[in-house]
Amino acid sequence: MRIGVTVFPGSNCDRDALHAVELMGAEPVELWHADADLKGSDAVIVPGGFSYGDYLRPGAIARFARVMGPLEDFARDGGPVLGVCNGFQVLCEAHLLPGALLQNTHMRFACDRVRVRVETKETPWTSGCENGEELTLPIAHNEGNYFADPETLARLEDEGRVVLRYLENPNGSANDIAGVCNEGRNVVGVMPHPERVSDPALGSDEGLKILRSVLAEATV
Amino acid sequence: MKVRVLVRPKEGILDPQGEAVRGALPALGFGGVKTVHVGRLIEMELESADDVDAMCRRLLANPTVEEYEWEVVS
């Protein structure tokens, strides 16, 4: 399975994500922001960082990068896409996911390890977890405060599209939301960083439970 | 021509920056400040203002959480 990782100017988790893909046993494919196609990727990770310096709003400029055209087509055709941290922000700005990530309510950068609960295994990125399973994942963000209007929030909850939920809310996020998916369930955005806990050498490989889930898609 | 765009958090959207400023003003002795909202001012020199609204919707503001207004200033 080929898993693409997008690289924008200012991405800083792309190497970690590529390394995690290798540890998963898949083939990592670097996707430069100016690339015109996804180089045959079967799944794509939009990694964390500060794409385009977070100028204007986090993710606002990255969503117009050239590689986002084919990525949006891929996502709309049902291809598995995972946005992590800044990647989540990019996917929201691109309207591939609902809502927006606002500044943390406490006005501080949140850098920690947090407990999250997997709320649904019905996505390509959580199918290897159990519903209700708790994971410890790192967070590192200034704009992780998930916001959506009340109707959208109610819909996300009704349709089981909250993917990860914080056990203790670190940023003011609505309904303690740490991750959501789109209507087709193939596009997932999460604030915590599974790729940063993908190797026992990093202290934990719990993040692989999320990342490895997508391997099941290879046989579909 | 010169166009000035004002982008700010929508009514009712939590504005941590505004809240922090509101908290800081009394500390400097400025009393009676009830609310503060922090927005963004964007000035552009353009040949025509035809596309300004589209620019606001597609890039300059995020309509999910922000509202905008713009005017031709010269």
Side-chain angles (χ1 to χ4, degrees):
Chain A
M1 187 179 206
R2 286 166 68 81
I3 302 185
V5 176
T6 57
V7 185
F8 304 103
S11 296
N12 66 10
C13 300
D14 45 311
R15 296 282 186 92
D16 308 53
L18 289 162
H19 181 62
V21 168
E22 256 185 69
L23 294 169
M24 287 161 60
E27 186 187 343
V29 182
E30 199 174 84
L31 301 173
W32 188 236
H33 66 91
D35 283 345
D37 64 67
L38 302 181
K39 299 181 184 171
S41 300
D42 303 299
V44 177
I45 298 173
V46 185
F50 300 85
S51 58
Y52 300 89
D54 274 356
Y55 292 164
L56 200 60
R57 297 178 304 277
I61 313 281
R63 73 150 294 203
F64 294 105
R66 193 172 183 203
V67 75
M68 287 302 290
L71 177 66
E72 285 174 33
D73 292 340
F74 178 75
R76 296 214 165 89
D77 288 344
V81 177
L82 176 69
V84 175
C85 199
N86 186 230
F88 186 6
Q89 296 162 340
V90 172
L91 296 178
C92 285
E93 283 282 344
H95 307 300
L96 290 172
L97 289 172
L101 281 314
L102 300 177
Q103 189 168 26
N104 301 341
T105 44
H106 49 60
M107 294 281 290
R108 288 189 305 277
F109 192 90
C111 185
D112 207 349
R113 285 193 177 210
V114 295
R115 300 281 291 162
V116 295
R117 190 168 59 236
V118 177
E119 296 286 49
T120 173
K121 57 181 292 180
E122 284 171 47
T123 84
W125 300 99
T126 51
S127 58
C129 305
E130 294 304 322
N131 287 334
E133 183 171 357
E134 292 177 9
L135 301 171
T136 301
L137 300 175
I139 53 166
H141 58 245
N142 192 52
E143 285 89 3
N145 173 4
Y146 185 75
F147 170 88
D149 60 67
E151 297 77 42
T152 305
L153 275 182
R155 234 184 112 195
L156 288 173
E157 296 287 357
D158 289 349
E159 295 173 1
R161 286 165 54 195
V162 175
V163 179
L164 296 181
R165 205 185 303 269
Y166 300 113
L167 299 191
E168 278 182 52
N169 194 327
N171 52 29
S173 200
N175 295 12
D176 303 329
I177 287 173
V180 298
C181 68
N182 66 342
E183 218 171 333
R185 311 192 74 84
N186 58 303
V187 180
V188 172
V190 296
M191 284 317 292
H193 287 270
E195 81 287 356
R196 291 192 188 177
V197 278
S198 58
D199 189 328
L202 298 170
S204 161
D205 60 359
E206 268 186 57
L208 281 182
K209 282 197 174 170
I210 289 182
L211 299 173
R212 267 197 187 129
S213 298
V214 78
L215 296 177
E217 301 291 303
T219 53
V220 175
Chain B
M1 67 174 58
K2 199 166 170 184
V3 166
R4 188 173 287 161
V5 181
L6 185 64
V7 181
R8 59 183 154 204
K10 267 186 184 171
E11 189 78 32
I13 301 266
L14 196 77
D15 173 11
Q17 278 191 85
E19 274 301 293
V21 174
R22 191 186 59 82
L25 286 169
L28 294 173
F30 298 108
V33 181
K34 292 196 176 106
T35 61
V36 176
H37 290 292
V38 176
R40 188 162 53 235
L41 183 71
I42 300 164
E43 287 182 330
M44 301 188 288
E45 280 183 50
L46 306 152
E47 282 170 12
S48 140
D50 291 354
D51 291 331
V52 172
D53 213 63
M55 291 176 190
C56 291
R57 274 182 281 114
R58 293 200 59 206
L59 179 62
L60 303 180
N62 178 350
T64 305
V65 288
E66 294 170 327
E67 58 187 22
Y68 62 87
E69 56 191 66
W70 60 272
E71 57 176 348
V72 177
V73 288
S74 66

